[in-house]
Amino acid sequence: MNTAAQLSYIVIGCPTFHTNNHLGFSFSRHINGHRLSSVFTSVILDATLRIRRRRSQSHSAITCSASDKRSPSSEISSAAKIRSEVLSPFRSVRMFFYLSFMASAALGGLIASTQLVAAVANSTKAAVVPDILKGLGIDIAAVLIFAFLYSRENNAKNAQLARLSREESLSNLKLRVDEKKVIPVTTFRGIARLVILAGPASFIEESFKLSEPFTEALLERGVLVVPFATDGGSPSFEFEESEEMKEITSKRKRLWQLVPVYITEWAKWLDEQKKLANVAPGSPVYLSLRLDGRVRGSGVGYPPWNAFVAQLPPVKGIWSGLLDGMDGRVL
């Protein structure tokens, strides 16, 4: 009688109970009542333990994921750090010597302070107090100077790492060359100088018209345009298909052939650049890249096509190898 009562309590008290082989809820009708109650109860307990174990594992996984996203060290990749060391090979040496000199001056200041206390306490040593104060002042000044130099060097290092990290993110963005070919920006390193235009479709169309007189000169300097419409529109480029303009039309199509792929990633990268440059989110901007993929210039408004032609050397001919690095300073 007690067994039957227990069984009815289990069935009635769990209205949402269903048989589920995945959770292990199964029983046989060919066993007696006592057997049914014990098996039924053990199966429920086993399923409860499994559910709790799964919940604890899911919570731990979520916690680990959140901690990884908050870790600032994960934002700078090892490739960016290596590039930073290559570009500034003696920075680590300078920072080491700054720390060493600062520690040496701090130790000297500590020794001078103890000597000063002893001299002040003993009137017979009053004559050496000026010399001790002079040495203490030199030590304090040395600590301040080397601390300033170390801080300046460290800030320059962090700024360079941040810039290289942004450039690495840019190099991973994708571009469509034609209907069947999608390649990352890094493929154009050493081949082309990309000019990224970001703004409404009307801004890109006007930039397209302004670039027409400089088409041949821009192509000779390896310039390729990446138009990115931030308003979701599709800029329309009008090309003259006449026989007389066939060659120029072909060059203009080659100049404007690149199309950004995965718009969300491009928009995210551009928004970060605008925030760092204190530019309004809706402002049309341009970015000019060097042959090595680094940003050489940027601005708000239409790109200065005539300045590009005047400043950039051709990528072909006898001057190409010699002037590859003459792309201007890096921003």
Side-chain angles (χ1 to χ4, degrees), residues 175-179 188 192-220 222-229 234-240 247-260 285-287 301-306 308:
L175 291 171
R176 184 183 300 279
V177 180
D178 51 39
E179 296 180 357
F188 293 94
R193 300 180 174 103
L194 301 184
V195 176
I196 302 172
L197 304 182
S202 58
F203 163 76
I204 296 176
E205 292 173 358
E206 186 65 24
S207 299
F208 172 78
K209 296 177 182 178
L210 294 174
S211 69
E212 184 174 2
F214 309 98
T215 299
E216 292 187 18
L218 290 172
L219 287 176
E220 289 177 358
V223 175
L224 294 178
V225 183
V226 181
F228 176 69
S234 179
S236 59
F237 301 142
E238 297 180 359
F239 299 99
E240 296 187 19
E247 184 178 355
I248 296 296
T249 299
S250 175
K251 292 181 178 180
R252 288 188 59 74
K253 288 181 178 180
R254 183 152 56 93
L255 180 64
W256 293 80
Q257 65 180 331
L258 302 180
V259 179
V285 296
Y286 72 89
L287 291 93
Y302 299 107
W305 303 116
N306 56 342
F308 293 159

Side-chain angles (χ1 to χ4, degrees), residues 83 167 189-190 192 289-295 324 327 330:
R83 288 185 62 193
E167 291 175 355
R189 285 182 178 175
L289 305 186
R290 293 162 49 110
L291 273 177
D292 57 6
R294 292 185 287 173
V295 179
D324 282 348
D327 287 4
V330 179

Side-chain angles (χ1 to χ4, degrees), residues 44 47 60 62 108 162 166 199 212 241 250 254 275 284 303 324:
I44 292 176
S60 63
I62 294 173
R166 295 194 302 270
E212 184 174 2
E241 301 295 343
S250 175
R254 183 152 56 93
K275 289 180 181 178
D324 282 348

Side-chain angles (χ1 to χ4, degrees), residues 48-73:
T48 304
L49 290 174
R50 290 183 182 179
I51 292 173
R52 289 180 179 177
R53 191 179 299 112
R54 289 175 182 174
R55 288 179 178 176
S56 63
Q57 292 176 353
S58 63
H59 287 311
S60 63
I62 294 173
T63 303
C64 293
S65 176
S67 63
D68 291 340
K69 291 181 179 179
R70 293 177 183 178
S71 176
S73 60

Side-chain angles (χ1 to χ4, degrees), residues 273-288:
Q273 305 311 302
K274 289 182 179 180
K275 289 180 181 178
L276 292 172
N278 295 322
V279 177
S283 301
V285 296
Y286 72 89
L287 291 93
S288 174

